[in-house]
Amino acid sequence: IIRKQIMDNRVLYQKWRPLTFSEIVDQGHITQTLKNSIDQSRTSHAYLFAGPRGVGKTTTARVLAKALNCPESPNCTMQGPGKREFCEVCTSINAGKMIDLIEIDAASNRTIDNIRDIKDKAMYAPNMGSKKVYIIDEAHGLTGAAQQAFLKLLEEPPQNVVIILATTEADSLPLTIISRCQRFDFKRINHREISNHLSVIAKEEKIKIDNSALDLISVNSSGSLRDAENLLQQISSIGDEDINEEHLLKFLGMGAHSASLEILSLVLEKETDKVLALIQSEVNNGIDPKMIKDRLLKDLRGLIYTKNGLSTLLEETEHTINKYSGLSKKYSLETLGAVTSVILNSDIPSNEHPPINLEIAILDACLIEKSAPSEPVVQENVAPEKSAPSEPVVQENVAPEK
């Protein structure tokens, strides 16, 4: 067994890339299934990993490739968190030197000739491991002809070949390919899991940053751990001082995130002079009007969710949710819904200056009448009116016309 300690100057998302199943963040529904299939020797010849960017599709594919080729018992990829003891085969995969693990970017190797080349090389036996693993990243980038050529390889692959397709657009793949694979759908990573992971990285990398700043990074990474790690690395170059939420907002030009609630509050209170002045100030500070619109919609959604008692479903910091709670009590759902419709239907060009379209949308939102809280309608018990007795209709005998 070789102990592998990674000490280098790579970017954080590469340096902290998970090497075992236990290190993969917040995808337990997938890692547990894959671990069980390895333990029971019930693996497939083709897998499809689908999901948003930066959630661990390619990383999981590499860990699976290690698990399929690891000769040790127990498997090196089954180690618990914090343990990184790998055999020679797994070490070569970690270092990117395993010749039986072939990673292909389908966005640039997308033609039928590229697929034929893969099919020809797949016929050769593995050199070092027990399986030859092909990881096809961005698989939706294959052309129609290339997809058809790929079908035969998926349908009848060589005995020791495993193919793993990774894509952010699974719906772009034909059903004939999807049906030949075991499909795993990766979810967006919970912001609390991202924040906890960033806290571990910051401690090990000696980055001085407080928890509120880590929370702000996590909620603005759209569930992508890679985006969050890149953001942490970017802010870490600020200097030797402790990094807080204010530094993050100022350093990364995220002022719209702090000002949007103030803008929204002024809109709901119909203070047009103050809200227009604040918008102009934000735009002058380099904030994109379209970003202001997006953040306003996110805050309106937060107010509506909080108004309905669903604040626990929001991917926001505790500080922001507390603000939502206080503001949502002042306005009815009708008012919040009407303002949301105006902002949502407005066409705000990116980097517009002066921000005329945004200003018009804000004015329209200010003109919406504030709805008073609706009161329950009490129905009084009123005795039904007695209808007048109907008089009998007397039918006269009319002689038929001749």
Side-chain angles (χ1 to χ4, degrees):
I1 299 291
I2 301 172
R3 177 176 291 275
K4 181 68 177 177
Q5 294 181 340
I6 299 180
M7 300 284 290
D8 54 38
N9 294 319
R10 293 179 296 173
V11 293
L12 289 180
Y13 81 85
Q14 291 180 337
K15 186 174 182 180
W16 286 86
R17 186 188 292 274
L19 300 180
T20 62
F21 285 117
S22 63
E23 294 180 3
I24 296 172
V25 179
D26 202 27
Q27 303 292 351
H29 62 296
I30 293 174
T31 55
Q32 188 59 52
T33 303
L34 293 175
K35 287 166 65 176
N36 290 342
S37 67
I38 296 294
D39 286 338
Q40 299 169 14
S41 299
R42 294 181 177 179
T43 57
S44 175
H45 68 278
Y47 295 87
L48 173 62
F49 291 169
R53 71 179 192 279
V55 296
K57 299 185 297 297
T58 305
T59 293
T60 304
R62 291 177 181 174
V63 174
L64 178 58
K66 265 187 292 191
L68 292 170
N69 281 288
C70 181
E72 298 295 325
S73 182
N75 197 294
C76 292
T77 60
M78 305 295 182
Q79 300 177 78
K83 296 182 179 180
R84 287 190 167 186
E85 297 183 352
F86 297 105
C87 64
E88 184 179 359
V89 173
C90 292
T91 300
S92 66
I93 293 178
N94 291 340
K97 298 178 181 179
M98 171 69 158
I99 59 176
D100 292 327
L101 174 58
I102 303 98
E103 295 191 35
I104 299 168
D105 178 19
S108 53
N109 298 276
R110 60 199 304 266
T111 66
I112 190 170
D113 291 332
N114 297 129
I115 299 302
R116 284 172 178 166
D117 183 56
I118 294 173
K119 290 173 67 177
D120 292 341
K121 292 179 179 178
M123 303 305 295
Y124 295 100
N127 292 276
M128 186 177 181
S130 58
K131 298 282 187 181
K132 182 178 285 189
V133 181
Y134 286 88
I135 299 176
I136 315 294
D137 208 1
E138 301 299 330
H140 58 272
L142 293 172
T143 63
Q147 290 176 351
Q148 296 302 318
F150 200 55
L151 275 177
K152 190 65 176 177
L153 182 60
L154 281 176
E155 190 173 10
E156 298 178 4
Q159 184 177 1
N160 295 320
V161 169
V162 174
I163 299 168
I164 306 174
L165 305 177
T167 179
T168 55
E169 301 177 18
D171 292 340
S172 299
L173 294 173
L175 292 176
T176 48
I177 286 182
I178 295 175
S179 64
R180 287 168 170 79
C181 304
Q182 279 192 14
R183 176 170 175 168
F184 292 89
D185 289 297
F186 286 68
K187 64 178 183 178
R188 293 187 186 276
I189 301 175
N190 183 276
H191 76 281
R192 294 181 183 85
E193 294 288 343
I194 293 178
S195 186
N196 292 337
H197 188 70
L198 293 182
S199 180
V200 172
I201 294 176
K203 183 179 179 180
E204 292 295 323
E205 298 290 334
K206 296 180 172 55
I207 300 173
K208 299 177 181 178
I209 183 169
D210 63 24
N211 291 332
S212 63
L214 291 176
D215 288 342
L216 186 60
I217 290 175
S218 65
V219 299
N220 287 286
S221 60
S222 302
S224 169
L225 184 58
R226 183 173 63 229
D227 288 0
E229 289 169 338
N230 281 334
L231 201 52
L232 177 62
Q233 179 151 26
Q234 187 179 357
I235 193 65
S236 67
S237 61
I238 197 171
D240 295 331
E241 58 182 316
D242 291 356
I243 302 165
N244 56 34
E245 187 174 350
E246 184 180 353
H247 287 129
L248 190 65
L249 292 170
K250 189 180 297 183
F251 184 76
L252 299 177
M254 296 166 64
H257 294 269
S258 60
S260 63
L261 263 179
E262 185 179 354
I263 292 173
L264 186 54
S265 179
L266 292 172
V267 168
L268 292 169
E269 291 298 324
K270 307 184 185 309
E271 299 190 38
T272 54
D273 54 341
K274 293 181 180 179
V275 72
L276 290 175
L278 182 54
I279 288 174
Q280 189 61 49
S281 174
E282 291 295 300
V283 172
N284 288 340
N285 287 331
I287 306 301
D288 187 346
K290 193 173 186 304
M291 181 187 291
I292 296 176
K293 172 190 173 180
D294 293 342
R295 186 62 200 186
L296 284 173
L297 288 173
K298 189 174 182 181
D299 284 336
L300 282 163
R301 175 179 179 267
L303 291 179
I304 292 171
Y305 266 58
T306 304
K307 188 80 175 174
N308 285 283
L310 301 173
S311 59
T312 54
L313 300 180
L314 297 173
E315 296 277 323
E316 293 289 355
T317 62
E318 185 177 350
H319 177 66
T320 301
I321 290 177
N322 289 337
K323 284 187 174 182
Y324 286 161
S325 180
L327 195 58
S328 65
K329 294 175 182 177
K330 300 179 181 180
Y331 309 101
S332 66
L333 281 174
E334 290 81 5
T335 298
L336 295 175
V339 172
T340 301
S341 296
V342 170
I343 302 298
L344 179 64
N345 294 323
S346 61
D347 184 15
I348 313 295
S350 183
N351 293 313
E352 182 187 34
H353 188 78
I356 298 173
N357 286 278
L358 177 61
E359 291 169 344
I360 292 174
I362 292 297
L363 286 174
D364 288 342
C366 287
L367 294 175
I368 294 172
E369 292 297 329
K370 181 178 178 180
S371 302
S374 57
E375 297 180 357
V377 178
V378 180
Q379 186 174 359
E380 298 180 359
N381 293 325
V382 181
E385 296 182 0
K386 293 182 178 180
S387 58
S390 56
E391 297 180 357
V393 179
V394 179
Q395 184 174 2
E396 299 179 358
N397 293 326
V398 180
E401 295 181 2
K402 293 182 178 180

